[in-house]
Amino acid sequence: QVQFVESGGGLVQPGGSLRLSCVASRAVFSIYAMGWYRQAPGKQRELVAGIATGDRTKYVSSVKGRFTISRDNAKNTMYLQMNSLKPEDTAVYYCNGDPVAVSWGQGTQVTVSS
């Protein structure tokens, strides 16, 4: 089963930026639609950004215009560029297929706070 490893999270002030990375244990990004998900404390995990095999992207309304999903198939890596971060973006961020295809990784914590 493919495994994903997320990284790039951290503590950032409101208005700041972070770039998350998701590395796959084998080449899958050119085969499957993928997504970035997040889970905030006390809330359900939600899909925030998705990218199809044809590079068509989609975003939840709360991040449109601020987040950008992309991937580098040669590096088996997917990215989430997050700009203009808000406290409500605080969550653990995960990558997985869209729809969810494999077990969840450990995720990467993003905390937006002054």
PDB file of all heavy atoms in Angstrom, residues 44-73:
ATOM      1  N   GLN A  44     -14.545  17.531  12.051  1.00  0.00           N
ATOM      2  CA  GLN A  44     -14.299  16.433  11.120  1.00  0.00           C
ATOM      3  C   GLN A  44     -13.225  16.819  10.112  1.00  0.00           C
ATOM      4  O   GLN A  44     -13.037  17.991   9.794  1.00  0.00           O
ATOM      5  CB  GLN A  44     -15.594  16.072  10.387  1.00  0.00           C
ATOM      6  CG  GLN A  44     -16.630  15.386  11.250  1.00  0.00           C
ATOM      7  CD  GLN A  44     -17.792  14.834  10.442  1.00  0.00           C
ATOM      8  OE1 GLN A  44     -18.061  15.295   9.335  1.00  0.00           O
ATOM      9  NE2 GLN A  44     -18.454  13.824  10.976  1.00  0.00           N
ATOM     10  N   ARG A  45     -12.541  15.797   9.620  1.00  0.00           N
ATOM     11  CA  ARG A  45     -11.559  16.037   8.567  1.00  0.00           C
ATOM     12  C   ARG A  45     -12.276  16.479   7.297  1.00  0.00           C
ATOM     13  O   ARG A  45     -13.328  15.941   6.957  1.00  0.00           O
ATOM     14  CB  ARG A  45     -10.762  14.748   8.317  1.00  0.00           C
ATOM     15  CG  ARG A  45      -9.547  14.927   7.482  1.00  0.00           C
ATOM     16  CD  ARG A  45      -8.486  13.850   7.668  1.00  0.00           C
ATOM     17  NE  ARG A  45      -8.869  12.707   8.447  1.00  0.00           N
ATOM     18  CZ  ARG A  45      -8.001  11.967   9.141  1.00  0.00           C
ATOM     19  NH1 ARG A  45      -6.711  12.312   9.129  1.00  0.00           N
ATOM     20  NH2 ARG A  45      -8.395  10.929   9.816  1.00  0.00           N
ATOM     21  N   GLU A  46     -11.696  17.461   6.626  1.00  0.00           N
ATOM     22  CA  GLU A  46     -12.315  17.978   5.419  1.00  0.00           C
ATOM     23  C   GLU A  46     -11.278  18.077   4.296  1.00  0.00           C
ATOM     24  O   GLU A  46     -10.097  18.294   4.537  1.00  0.00           O
ATOM     25  CB  GLU A  46     -12.925  19.369   5.655  1.00  0.00           C
ATOM     26  CG  GLU A  46     -11.925  20.449   6.003  1.00  0.00           C
ATOM     27  CD  GLU A  46     -12.503  21.849   6.022  1.00  0.00           C
ATOM     28  OE1 GLU A  46     -13.611  22.068   5.487  1.00  0.00           O
ATOM     29  OE2 GLU A  46     -11.834  22.751   6.571  1.00  0.00           O
ATOM     30  N   LEU A  47     -11.779  17.933   3.068  1.00  0.00           N
ATOM     31  CA  LEU A  47     -10.939  18.135   1.895  1.00  0.00           C
ATOM     32  C   LEU A  47     -10.837  19.629   1.635  1.00  0.00           C
ATOM     33  O   LEU A  47     -11.856  20.305   1.478  1.00  0.00           O
ATOM     34  CB  LEU A  47     -11.553  17.429   0.688  1.00  0.00           C
ATOM     35  CG  LEU A  47     -10.850  17.622  -0.656  1.00  0.00           C
ATOM     36  CD1 LEU A  47      -9.499  16.915  -0.658  1.00  0.00           C
ATOM     37  CD2 LEU A  47     -11.718  17.092  -1.801  1.00  0.00           C
ATOM     38  N   VAL A  48      -9.626  20.156   1.582  1.00  0.00           N
ATOM     39  CA  VAL A  48      -9.468  21.592   1.331  1.00  0.00           C
ATOM     40  C   VAL A  48      -9.010  21.885  -0.085  1.00  0.00           C
ATOM     41  O   VAL A  48      -9.289  22.959  -0.617  1.00  0.00           O
ATOM     42  CB  VAL A  48      -8.507  22.257   2.338  1.00  0.00           C
ATOM     43  CG1 VAL A  48      -9.080  22.193   3.732  1.00  0.00           C
ATOM     44  CG2 VAL A  48      -7.136  21.620   2.306  1.00  0.00           C
ATOM     45  N   ALA A  49      -8.304  20.958  -0.713  1.00  0.00           N
ATOM     46  CA  ALA A  49      -7.830  21.177  -2.082  1.00  0.00           C
ATOM     47  C   ALA A  49      -7.645  19.839  -2.769  1.00  0.00           C
ATOM     48  O   ALA A  49      -7.192  18.879  -2.146  1.00  0.00           O
ATOM     49  CB  ALA A  49      -6.511  21.948  -2.085  1.00  0.00           C
ATOM     50  N   GLY A  50      -7.991  19.790  -4.037  1.00  0.00           N
ATOM     51  CA  GLY A  50      -7.825  18.563  -4.809  1.00  0.00           C
ATOM     52  C   GLY A  50      -7.230  18.856  -6.161  1.00  0.00           C
ATOM     53  O   GLY A  50      -7.377  19.956  -6.704  1.00  0.00           O
ATOM     54  N   ILE A  51      -6.529  17.859  -6.709  1.00  0.00           N
ATOM     55  CA  ILE A  51      -5.944  17.991  -8.031  1.00  0.00           C
ATOM     56  C   ILE A  51      -6.181  16.692  -8.779  1.00  0.00           C
ATOM     57  O   ILE A  51      -5.861  15.609  -8.293  1.00  0.00           O
ATOM     58  CB  ILE A  51      -4.448  18.366  -7.956  1.00  0.00           C
ATOM     59  CG1 ILE A  51      -3.881  18.601  -9.351  1.00  0.00           C
ATOM     60  CG2 ILE A  51      -3.642  17.317  -7.187  1.00  0.00           C
ATOM     61  CD1 ILE A  51      -2.521  19.298  -9.328  1.00  0.00           C
ATOM     62  N   ALA A  52      -6.764  16.805  -9.966  1.00  0.00           N
ATOM     63  CA  ALA A  52      -7.061  15.644 -10.776  1.00  0.00           C
ATOM     64  C   ALA A  52      -5.849  15.266 -11.633  1.00  0.00           C
ATOM     65  O   ALA A  52      -4.876  16.012 -11.714  1.00  0.00           O
ATOM     66  CB  ALA A  52      -8.265  15.930 -11.668  1.00  0.00           C
ATOM     67  N   THR A  53      -5.920  14.127 -12.280  1.00  0.00           N
ATOM     68  CA  THR A  53      -4.794  13.679 -13.101  1.00  0.00           C
ATOM     69  C   THR A  53      -4.525  14.642 -14.252  1.00  0.00           C
ATOM     70  O   THR A  53      -3.409  14.748 -14.714  1.00  0.00           O
ATOM     71  CB  THR A  53      -5.062  12.272 -13.647  1.00  0.00           C
ATOM     72  OG1 THR A  53      -6.335  12.256 -14.314  1.00  0.00           O
ATOM     73  CG2 THR A  53      -5.082  11.250 -12.520  1.00  0.00           C
ATOM     74  N   GLY A  54      -5.548  15.348 -14.690  1.00  0.00           N
ATOM     75  CA  GLY A  54      -5.370  16.336 -15.748  1.00  0.00           C
ATOM     76  C   GLY A  54      -5.003  17.714 -15.223  1.00  0.00           C
ATOM     77  O   GLY A  54      -5.049  18.688 -15.976  1.00  0.00           O
ATOM     78  N   ASP A  55      -4.643  17.763 -13.939  1.00  0.00           N
ATOM     79  CA  ASP A  55      -4.223  19.007 -13.268  1.00  0.00           C
ATOM     80  C   ASP A  55      -5.364  19.980 -12.993  1.00  0.00           C
ATOM     81  O   ASP A  55      -5.110  21.117 -12.608  1.00  0.00           O
ATOM     82  CB  ASP A  55      -3.116  19.723 -14.038  1.00  0.00           C
ATOM     83  CG  ASP A  55      -1.778  19.013 -13.894  1.00  0.00           C
ATOM     84  OD1 ASP A  55      -1.634  18.220 -12.942  1.00  0.00           O
ATOM     85  OD2 ASP A  55      -0.891  19.242 -14.719  1.00  0.00           O
ATOM     86  N   ARG A  56      -6.578  19.547 -13.182  1.00  0.00           N
ATOM     87  CA  ARG A  56      -7.692  20.404 -12.769  1.00  0.00           C
ATOM     88  C   ARG A  56      -7.714  20.448 -11.246  1.00  0.00           C
ATOM     89  O   ARG A  56      -7.587  19.413 -10.583  1.00  0.00           O
ATOM     90  CB  ARG A  56      -9.008  19.864 -13.299  1.00  0.00           C
ATOM     91  CG  ARG A  56     -10.197  20.757 -13.002  1.00  0.00           C
ATOM     92  CD  ARG A  56     -11.407  20.348 -13.811  1.00  0.00           C
ATOM     93  NE  ARG A  56     -12.529  21.245 -13.607  1.00  0.00           N
ATOM     94  CZ  ARG A  56     -13.650  21.194 -14.333  1.00  0.00           C
ATOM     95  NH1 ARG A  56     -13.785  20.290 -15.280  1.00  0.00           N
ATOM     96  NH2 ARG A  56     -14.627  22.036 -14.100  1.00  0.00           N
ATOM     97  N   THR A  57      -7.900  21.626 -10.698  1.00  0.00           N
ATOM     98  CA  THR A  57      -7.866  21.782  -9.243  1.00  0.00           C
ATOM     99  C   THR A  57      -9.216  22.236  -8.715  1.00  0.00           C
ATOM    100  O   THR A  57     -10.039  22.795  -9.434  1.00  0.00           O
ATOM    101  CB  THR A  57      -6.797  22.803  -8.826  1.00  0.00           C
ATOM    102  OG1 THR A  57      -7.068  24.062  -9.469  1.00  0.00           O
ATOM    103  CG2 THR A  57      -5.404  22.335  -9.225  1.00  0.00           C
ATOM    104  N   LYS A  58      -9.421  21.975  -7.422  1.00  0.00           N
ATOM    105  CA  LYS A  58     -10.628  22.431  -6.746  1.00  0.00           C
ATOM    106  C   LYS A  58     -10.257  22.793  -5.323  1.00  0.00           C
ATOM    107  O   LYS A  58      -9.294  22.248  -4.755  1.00  0.00           O
ATOM    108  CB  LYS A  58     -11.713  21.358  -6.767  1.00  0.00           C
ATOM    109  CG  LYS A  58     -11.332  20.060  -6.064  1.00  0.00           C
ATOM    110  CD  LYS A  58     -12.470  19.059  -6.136  1.00  0.00           C
ATOM    111  CE  LYS A  58     -12.082  17.754  -5.440  1.00  0.00           C
ATOM    112  NZ  LYS A  58     -13.170  16.735  -5.513  1.00  0.00           N
ATOM    113  N   TYR A  59     -11.023  23.710  -4.737  1.00  0.00           N
ATOM    114  CA  TYR A  59     -10.745  24.189  -3.394  1.00  0.00           C
ATOM    115  C   TYR A  59     -12.046  24.388  -2.638  1.00  0.00           C
ATOM    116  O   TYR A  59     -13.068  24.790  -3.213  1.00  0.00           O
ATOM    117  CB  TYR A  59      -9.986  25.524  -3.450  1.00  0.00           C
ATOM    118  CG  TYR A  59      -8.675  25.454  -4.198  1.00  0.00           C
ATOM    119  CD1 TYR A  59      -8.609  25.719  -5.556  1.00  0.00           C
ATOM    120  CD2 TYR A  59      -7.509  25.107  -3.531  1.00  0.00           C
ATOM    121  CE1 TYR A  59      -7.413  25.646  -6.247  1.00  0.00           C
ATOM    122  CE2 TYR A  59      -6.297  25.025  -4.201  1.00  0.00           C
ATOM    123  CZ  TYR A  59      -6.261  25.299  -5.564  1.00  0.00           C
ATOM    124  OH  TYR A  59      -5.068  25.217  -6.243  1.00  0.00           O
ATOM    125  N   VAL A  60     -11.970  24.165  -1.331  1.00  0.00           N
ATOM    126  CA  VAL A  60     -13.097  24.534  -0.489  1.00  0.00           C
ATOM    127  C   VAL A  60     -13.166  26.058  -0.475  1.00  0.00           C
ATOM    128  O   VAL A  60     -12.150  26.752  -0.598  1.00  0.00           O
ATOM    129  CB  VAL A  60     -12.917  23.938   0.928  1.00  0.00           C
ATOM    130  CG1 VAL A  60     -11.767  24.603   1.653  1.00  0.00           C
ATOM    131  CG2 VAL A  60     -14.204  24.015   1.714  1.00  0.00           C
ATOM    132  N   SER A  61     -14.353  26.589  -0.353  1.00  0.00           N
ATOM    133  CA  SER A  61     -14.537  28.030  -0.516  1.00  0.00           C
ATOM    134  C   SER A  61     -13.703  28.854   0.457  1.00  0.00           C
ATOM    135  O   SER A  61     -13.247  29.954   0.131  1.00  0.00           O
ATOM    136  CB  SER A  61     -16.016  28.393  -0.372  1.00  0.00           C
ATOM    137  OG  SER A  61     -16.510  28.002   0.889  1.00  0.00           O
ATOM    138  N   SER A  62     -13.464  28.314   1.661  1.00  0.00           N
ATOM    139  CA  SER A  62     -12.757  29.086   2.681  1.00  0.00           C
ATOM    140  C   SER A  62     -11.280  29.308   2.355  1.00  0.00           C
ATOM    141  O   SER A  62     -10.644  30.158   2.984  1.00  0.00           O
ATOM    142  CB  SER A  62     -12.883  28.390   4.037  1.00  0.00           C
ATOM    143  OG  SER A  62     -12.352  27.083   3.986  1.00  0.00           O
ATOM    144  N   VAL A  63     -10.724  28.567   1.402  1.00  0.00           N
ATOM    145  CA  VAL A  63      -9.304  28.725   1.069  1.00  0.00           C
ATOM    146  C   VAL A  63      -9.084  29.212  -0.352  1.00  0.00           C
ATOM    147  O   VAL A  63      -7.949  29.463  -0.756  1.00  0.00           O
ATOM    148  CB  VAL A  63      -8.510  27.418   1.296  1.00  0.00           C
ATOM    149  CG1 VAL A  63      -8.762  26.863   2.698  1.00  0.00           C
ATOM    150  CG2 VAL A  63      -8.818  26.372   0.236  1.00  0.00           C
ATOM    151  N   LYS A  64     -10.137  29.356  -1.121  1.00  0.00           N
ATOM    152  CA  LYS A  64      -9.998  29.804  -2.515  1.00  0.00           C
ATOM    153  C   LYS A  64      -9.287  31.148  -2.574  1.00  0.00           C
ATOM    154  O   LYS A  64      -9.593  32.063  -1.813  1.00  0.00           O
ATOM    155  CB  LYS A  64     -11.368  29.906  -3.174  1.00  0.00           C
ATOM    156  CG  LYS A  64     -11.889  28.602  -3.729  1.00  0.00           C
ATOM    157  CD  LYS A  64     -13.222  28.795  -4.445  1.00  0.00           C
ATOM    158  CE  LYS A  64     -13.752  27.476  -4.958  1.00  0.00           C
ATOM    159  NZ  LYS A  64     -15.079  27.625  -5.609  1.00  0.00           N
ATOM    160  N   GLY A  65      -8.321  31.230  -3.476  1.00  0.00           N
ATOM    161  CA  GLY A  65      -7.571  32.462  -3.639  1.00  0.00           C
ATOM    162  C   GLY A  65      -6.405  32.597  -2.685  1.00  0.00           C
ATOM    163  O   GLY A  65      -5.573  33.492  -2.831  1.00  0.00           O
ATOM    164  N   ARG A  66      -6.314  31.697  -1.696  1.00  0.00           N
ATOM    165  CA  ARG A  66      -5.214  31.750  -0.722  1.00  0.00           C
ATOM    166  C   ARG A  66      -4.317  30.514  -0.806  1.00  0.00           C
ATOM    167  O   ARG A  66      -3.114  30.616  -0.577  1.00  0.00           O
ATOM    168  CB  ARG A  66      -5.776  31.867   0.690  1.00  0.00           C
ATOM    169  CG  ARG A  66      -6.627  33.091   0.920  1.00  0.00           C
ATOM    170  CD  ARG A  66      -6.978  33.253   2.404  1.00  0.00           C
ATOM    171  NE  ARG A  66      -7.770  32.147   2.936  1.00  0.00           N
ATOM    172  CZ  ARG A  66      -7.386  31.364   3.944  1.00  0.00           C
ATOM    173  NH1 ARG A  66      -6.218  31.549   4.540  1.00  0.00           N
ATOM    174  NH2 ARG A  66      -8.186  30.397   4.369  1.00  0.00           N
ATOM    175  N   PHE A  67      -4.887  29.369  -1.112  1.00  0.00           N
ATOM    176  CA  PHE A  67      -4.141  28.111  -1.184  1.00  0.00           C
ATOM    177  C   PHE A  67      -3.992  27.686  -2.643  1.00  0.00           C
ATOM    178  O   PHE A  67      -4.895  27.896  -3.461  1.00  0.00           O
ATOM    179  CB  PHE A  67      -4.860  27.000  -0.429  1.00  0.00           C
ATOM    180  CG  PHE A  67      -4.875  27.149   1.071  1.00  0.00           C
ATOM    181  CD1 PHE A  67      -4.492  28.315   1.703  1.00  0.00           C
ATOM    182  CD2 PHE A  67      -5.296  26.077   1.864  1.00  0.00           C
ATOM    183  CE1 PHE A  67      -4.512  28.432   3.082  1.00  0.00           C
ATOM    184  CE2 PHE A  67      -5.314  26.178   3.244  1.00  0.00           C
ATOM    185  CZ  PHE A  67      -4.931  27.365   3.848  1.00  0.00           C
ATOM    186  N   THR A  68      -2.860  27.036  -2.932  1.00  0.00           N
ATOM    187  CA  THR A  68      -2.619  26.494  -4.271  1.00  0.00           C
ATOM    188  C   THR A  68      -2.053  25.088  -4.154  1.00  0.00           C
ATOM    189  O   THR A  68      -1.016  24.892  -3.495  1.00  0.00           O
ATOM    190  CB  THR A  68      -1.644  27.369  -5.065  1.00  0.00           C
ATOM    191  OG1 THR A  68      -2.145  28.710  -5.156  1.00  0.00           O
ATOM    192  CG2 THR A  68      -1.453  26.817  -6.476  1.00  0.00           C
ATOM    193  N   ILE A  69      -2.720  24.150  -4.786  1.00  0.00           N
ATOM    194  CA  ILE A  69      -2.252  22.762  -4.795  1.00  0.00           C
ATOM    195  C   ILE A  69      -1.487  22.511  -6.096  1.00  0.00           C
ATOM    196  O   ILE A  69      -1.865  23.019  -7.163  1.00  0.00           O
ATOM    197  CB  ILE A  69      -3.436  21.776  -4.646  1.00  0.00           C
ATOM    198  CG1 ILE A  69      -2.943  20.340  -4.478  1.00  0.00           C
ATOM    199  CG2 ILE A  69      -4.409  21.907  -5.808  1.00  0.00           C
ATOM    200  CD1 ILE A  69      -4.058  19.356  -4.137  1.00  0.00           C
ATOM    201  N   SER A  70      -0.409  21.751  -5.984  1.00  0.00           N
ATOM    202  CA  SER A  70       0.371  21.410  -7.177  1.00  0.00           C
ATOM    203  C   SER A  70       1.095  20.100  -6.921  1.00  0.00           C
ATOM    204  O   SER A  70       1.114  19.594  -5.784  1.00  0.00           O
ATOM    205  CB  SER A  70       1.368  22.524  -7.514  1.00  0.00           C
ATOM    206  OG  SER A  70       2.299  22.686  -6.475  1.00  0.00           O
ATOM    207  N   ARG A  71       1.715  19.575  -7.949  1.00  0.00           N
ATOM    208  CA  ARG A  71       2.449  18.324  -7.765  1.00  0.00           C
ATOM    209  C   ARG A  71       3.602  18.263  -8.748  1.00  0.00           C
ATOM    210  O   ARG A  71       3.579  18.894  -9.807  1.00  0.00           O
ATOM    211  CB  ARG A  71       1.542  17.107  -7.942  1.00  0.00           C
ATOM    212  CG  ARG A  71       0.971  16.993  -9.330  1.00  0.00           C
ATOM    213  CD  ARG A  71       0.076  15.781  -9.460  1.00  0.00           C
ATOM    214  NE  ARG A  71      -0.566  15.813 -10.762  1.00  0.00           N
ATOM    215  CZ  ARG A  71      -1.786  15.408 -10.998  1.00  0.00           C
ATOM    216  NH1 ARG A  71      -2.519  14.897 -10.012  1.00  0.00           N
ATOM    217  NH2 ARG A  71      -2.294  15.474 -12.200  1.00  0.00           N
ATOM    218  N   ASP A  72       4.604  17.481  -8.369  1.00  0.00           N
ATOM    219  CA  ASP A  72       5.759  17.200  -9.224  1.00  0.00           C
ATOM    220  C   ASP A  72       5.840  15.681  -9.347  1.00  0.00           C
ATOM    221  O   ASP A  72       6.335  14.996  -8.449  1.00  0.00           O
ATOM    222  CB  ASP A  72       7.024  17.782  -8.585  1.00  0.00           C
ATOM    223  CG  ASP A  72       8.245  17.635  -9.478  1.00  0.00           C
ATOM    224  OD1 ASP A  72       8.278  16.705 -10.308  1.00  0.00           O
ATOM    225  OD2 ASP A  72       9.185  18.423  -9.321  1.00  0.00           O
ATOM    226  N   ASN A  73       5.328  15.168 -10.448  1.00  0.00           N
ATOM    227  CA  ASN A  73       5.260  13.717 -10.614  1.00  0.00           C
ATOM    228  C   ASN A  73       6.640  13.071 -10.585  1.00  0.00           C
ATOM    229  O   ASN A  73       6.813  11.965 -10.058  1.00  0.00           O
ATOM    230  CB  ASN A  73       4.546  13.363 -11.918  1.00  0.00           C
ATOM    231  CG  ASN A  73       3.085  13.774 -11.912  1.00  0.00           C
ATOM    232  OD1 ASN A  73       2.491  13.941 -10.849  1.00  0.00           O
ATOM    233  ND2 ASN A  73       2.510  13.951 -13.089  1.00  0.00           N
TER     234      ASN A  73
END
